[in-house]
Amino acid sequence: MPRCSKRTRGAAADLLPGTTSLEDHHHHKRSRNTSSRRHSKTEDISFSPKKCLVWFKEYTTIAEPDVLGPEGMEKFCEDLGVDPENVVMLVIAYKMGAKQMGYFTQEEWLKGLTDLQCDSVLKLQSKLDHLRTLLNDPYVFKSIYRYSYDFARDKDQRSLDTSTARALLGVLLPRWPLRLPLAEFLTHGRRYRVVNRDQWCNILEFSRTVDTHLTAYDADGAWPVMLDEFVEWLRAERGDAAMHAS
């Protein structure tokens, strides 16, 4: 019987349990390494509430550890690479059920990001396009639009001041042709310093049903007085413009 070399004996001694040859041994090691890599990949995509909470603490202060405030919000937006006035930030706030603009509580943060399964900047960045597509659903958009009223208003007031309303419309309805005329009307109309909830909700319906030339506007419809006066004002403005042009 030929003698085993020291090298062969050493390799045989290192065989893993359950393997009978060097070939089986190496195949088993490759399988084990592949399995380990798969396991690591699964861990990477899994959601960790603890990790999510540690991430939240990056934006809070010692004085207020359970509230992400304006300075933390600025850093949060910077880390995401998103402008604070970008509509996707409103969608994120909506997902969290945030009650006040510029602030996220720890409870709101965990609620929203658990729903999104995001515990890091990279994971949330990967969801931004998805969050933007939610605005294409008219029912979801209507919910976000209505949510924005309470989210943005001063909690000491029951209504939304007109400057905030104009800014919100710029975020939510940037392509609505009558947005700028309405903003001008609210700016110069001394009578309207605030927009109430009914007026705010009807602005969305108005934008969806009344065309740019106001031909679809029904004077006998159940529109708020503010929108009736806006139409009257806009027709007068357009009439004056036509007179000056001629």
Side-chain angles (χ1 to χ4, degrees):
M1 178 182 289
R3 297 175 60 187
C4 287
S5 66
K6 291 178 66 177
R7 181 178 178 183
T8 305
R9 285 200 305 273
D14 290 337
L15 289 177
L16 293 168
T19 59
T20 57
S21 68
L22 287 175
E23 184 178 354
D24 288 342
H25 169 79
H26 291 308
H27 175 74
H28 185 83
K29 284 188 69 177
R30 283 196 300 272
S31 299
R32 188 174 63 177
N33 291 338
T34 303
S35 175
S36 177
R37 284 196 298 271
R38 285 202 200 101
H39 182 61
S40 298
K41 188 174 181 181
T42 302
E43 287 182 339
D44 289 341
I45 63 173
S46 65
F47 175 78
S48 165
K50 183 177 179 181
K51 185 178 176 183
C52 187
L53 188 56
V54 170
W55 180 28
F56 174 77
K57 297 298 183 183
E58 292 181 15
Y59 305 113
T60 62
T61 63
I62 296 175
E64 292 187 291
D66 298 330
V67 178
L68 186 160
E71 289 186 8
M73 190 69 70
E74 185 177 346
K75 185 177 185 302
F76 175 55
C77 291
E78 184 179 329
D79 288 349
L80 279 180
V82 174
D83 189 283
E85 296 183 1
N86 191 297
V87 69
V88 78
M89 292 304 299
L90 184 58
V91 181
I92 291 173
Y94 168 77
K95 279 288 186 180
M96 292 185 182
K99 294 179 176 61
Q100 185 175 4
M101 184 180 288
Y103 295 86
F104 291 148
T105 66
Q106 180 175 299
E107 183 181 356
E108 291 166 350
W109 176 275
L110 287 174
K111 172 189 176 295
L113 294 180
T114 299
D115 180 49
L116 291 170
Q117 292 289 283
C118 293
D119 54 22
S120 69
V121 170
L122 289 177
K123 286 183 182 178
L124 187 52
Q125 283 177 327
S126 71
K127 295 286 182 74
L128 293 179
D129 286 342
H130 162 69
L131 292 173
R132 291 187 179 98
T133 62
L134 295 178
L135 297 165
N136 297 328
D137 183 318
Y139 297 101
V140 176
F141 181 84
K142 185 175 183 177
S143 294
I144 294 173
Y145 179 91
R146 292 191 168 193
Y147 158 79
S148 70
Y149 182 85
D150 285 322
F151 176 63
R153 71 179 173 83
D154 189 326
K155 298 307 177 279
D156 295 331
Q157 298 180 356
R158 295 181 61 183
S159 300
L160 194 66
D161 67 82
T162 53
S163 61
T164 304
R166 293 196 307 269
L168 267 183
L169 289 173
V171 171
L172 289 161
L173 300 173
R175 297 182 180 84
W176 180 36
L178 296 180
R179 179 181 63 84
L180 290 178
L182 178 61
E184 186 179 350
F185 169 75
L186 292 175
T187 301
H188 298 295
R190 294 183 180 179
R191 179 177 174 182
Y192 296 102
R193 298 186 182 277
V194 297
V195 175
N196 65 38
R197 187 185 303 278
D198 181 59
Q199 291 165 342
W200 178 255
C201 293
N202 273 279
I203 287 173
L204 177 61
E205 297 308 311
F206 189 90
S207 72
R208 289 176 167 179
T209 57
V210 178
D211 60 296
T212 307
H213 301 292
L214 306 175
T215 52
Y217 169 74
D218 180 6
D220 296 324
W223 298 113
V225 173
M226 184 190 78
L227 289 174
D228 288 332
E229 292 184 351
F230 165 62
V231 169
E232 184 180 345
W233 172 85
L234 183 56
R235 282 174 171 167
E237 287 289 306
R238 288 175 171 175
D240 289 344
M243 288 177 60
H244 289 307
S246 61

